[in-house]
Amino acid sequence: MDVRWITFTSPPERRGVLIPIEASRDVPFEIKRVYAVVRPDPGLARGAHAHRALTQVMVALAGRCDVRLDDGETQVVVALDDPARGLLLEPMVWHEMTGFSTDCVLLVLAADHYDEADYIRDRQEFLKAARSSK
Ligand code: TYD
């Protein structure tokens, strides 16, 4: 499956790294929700679901983690470890985050408000839906 990264353009700054992220410019949607996952338990996994319609961009503002992406046919594991690079998470992609560093802070920009009905949390249901949509 394709992995789509978005590189954010940082202005030259001597005082630290500044990363502007503008809706519809740096990410391909109007941002309706922002959430952060702050120092998740390094021994546990997060995610393990897909969204029916939601598009998101995930950025490791600090630290790192691995993200397994799976479109129902192929899987890929990528490292999220650069605050200047966002991972585009499209609808109907099963994703699971593991390997968190103890300092990990994930920022997630979402195209819509929280809606539990948009989640597919059951793996078999996801595989069935992903295969029938191809
Ligand atoms: P979930 O998306 O399953 O977390 P993760 O993918 O990091 O494992 O969400 C965990 C809980 O938090 C779940 O009960 C739903 C709730 N939640 C909200 O209320 N609002 C939100 O914006 C998000 C992302 C989750």
Side-chain angles (χ1 to χ4, degrees):
M1 63 163 293
D2 289 341
V3 178
R4 289 180 58 195
W5 293 99
I6 298 172
T7 302
F8 306 121
T9 307
S10 295
E13 262 281 340
R14 287 162 181 255
R15 296 166 296 169
V17 181
L18 189 146
I19 303 167
I21 305 176
E22 297 198 21
S24 303
R25 293 182 176 176
D26 300 302
V27 296
F29 49 80
E30 279 296 331
I31 298 163
K32 282 204 185 164
R33 176 167 52 112
V34 174
Y35 62 93
V37 178
V38 181
R39 293 187 290 278
D41 187 325
L44 298 182
R46 299 199 65 112
H49 61 251
H51 289 279
R52 297 175 200 279
L54 183 69
T55 301
Q56 303 182 97
V57 170
M58 191 179 285
V59 187
L61 285 185
R64 59 126 19 241
C65 72
D66 296 309
V67 187
R68 177 182 295 276
L69 302 169
D70 173 0
D71 63 5
E73 284 189 339
T74 56
Q75 299 190 1
V76 64
V77 179
V78 298
L80 204 60
D81 58 5
D82 180 354
R85 211 164 67 136
L87 177 65
L88 187 66
L89 257 180
E90 293 184 295
M92 292 305 291
V93 174
W94 188 269
H95 51 282
E96 183 167 337
M97 289 78 80
T98 55
F100 298 105
S101 59
T102 50
D103 60 346
C104 183
V105 176
L106 292 184
L107 174 74
V108 187
L109 311 169
D112 216 336
H113 298 132
Y114 172 72
D115 176 12
E116 185 58 37
D118 186 64
Y119 282 72
I120 304 179
R121 295 189 184 274
D122 181 83
R123 177 79 186 156
Q124 293 310 315
E125 184 188 347
F126 165 72
L127 290 174
K128 207 170 150 193
R131 284 165 190 164
S132 69
S133 68
K134 293 218 161 77

